[in-house]
Amino acid sequence: MEPTAIALAVLLGLGLSASTGLNTFLPLLLLSAAARFHVAGIELGQRFDWLSSDVAIIILIVASVVEIIADKIPAVDHFLDSIGTFIRPLAATVATASVLTGADVNPTVAAVVGLMIGAPTSLGFHTLKAGTRIASSAATFGCANPILSLIEDVISLGLTLIAIFIPLFVPVAIALLVWLLWRVAKRLRAPKPTAPAY
């Protein structure tokens, strides 16, 4: 059990967890594909072999497409955010635990670490995302939400690829993402200047 492999697995799990906070299924799909086709040396623990199976990959493809499309519909995106509060931390826990067991960490320890790191990270980014959406809905009556959703998809994809290929950059990418989401939410919440009365 090499400390370097464990550290890289933790960074990979952290990046995947942050990504699931923005898009539930896309990071899991990319992780599954990477493990299935042995991309970037990604390996999953034996108990998580199902995640890279044909059935799992097909289900994740369908779920990713449905989520990406549905999240562009203003009425549906609020529903997705509501159930995402529960589903996204679970997805992050699975992703983190799977890559840790792949680094030969004890499965019980991997599950606990996945719960301690993955779930809060995903929930934190989900909360930031939801806050940005609420601010956008108030400022633009929901008109900007589909654009924000597309940006979130791109960011989730980019962060997942960073986690898979250059996990050492994950802390920097997460810090920049937190700053960006905070700035967007702050700008959307800023009061609009009113025209002077004459």
Side-chain angles (χ1 to χ4, degrees):
M1 195 186 301
E2 294 185 11
T4 303
I6 295 173
L8 290 175
V10 168
L11 289 173
L12 171 58
L14 187 64
L16 292 169
S17 299
S19 297
T20 61
L22 302 175
N23 186 303
T24 311
F25 300 108
L26 184 60
L28 284 176
L29 172 61
L30 294 176
L31 173 64
S32 299
R36 177 63 183 269
F37 299 107
H38 310 290
V39 175
I42 300 294
E43 291 183 6
L44 305 180
Q46 190 173 3
R47 296 187 181 187
F48 292 93
D49 280 345
W50 58 268
L51 195 55
S52 58
S53 67
D54 290 341
V55 173
I57 289 176
I58 290 169
I59 290 172
L60 287 171
I61 288 172
V62 173
S64 297
V65 171
V66 169
E67 181 181 22
I68 287 169
I69 293 172
D71 201 41
K72 309 297 180 289
I73 304 169
V76 179
D77 66 344
H78 294 298
F79 172 72
L80 289 178
D81 279 341
S82 298
I83 62 173
T85 304
F86 306 100
I87 296 176
R88 287 177 175 155
L90 179 61
T93 301
V94 169
T96 304
S98 69
V99 296
L100 282 172
T101 51
D104 292 330
V105 175
N106 179 282
T108 304
V109 174
V112 171
V113 173
L115 192 60
M116 291 174 62
I117 292 177
T121 301
S122 179
L123 185 60
F125 275 91
H126 170 72
T127 303
L128 274 173
K129 169 185 171 171
T132 303
R133 288 293 187 90
I134 290 170
S136 170
S137 296
T140 69
F141 301 101
C143 294
N145 285 4
I147 298 170
L148 282 176
S149 176
L150 181 60
I151 293 170
E152 290 159 3
D153 294 337
V154 171
I155 291 172
S156 180
L157 173 64
L159 186 54
T160 301
L161 292 176
I162 288 171
I164 290 172
F165 290 103
I166 40 175
L168 289 174
F169 280 30
V170 165
V172 175
I174 286 177
L176 286 173
L177 183 52
V178 169
W179 177 82
L180 176 66
L181 289 172
W182 176 77
R183 289 283 296 177
V184 169
K186 184 180 178 182
R187 179 163 292 191
L188 288 170
R189 287 193 181 111
K192 299 279 188 289
T194 55
Y198 294 102

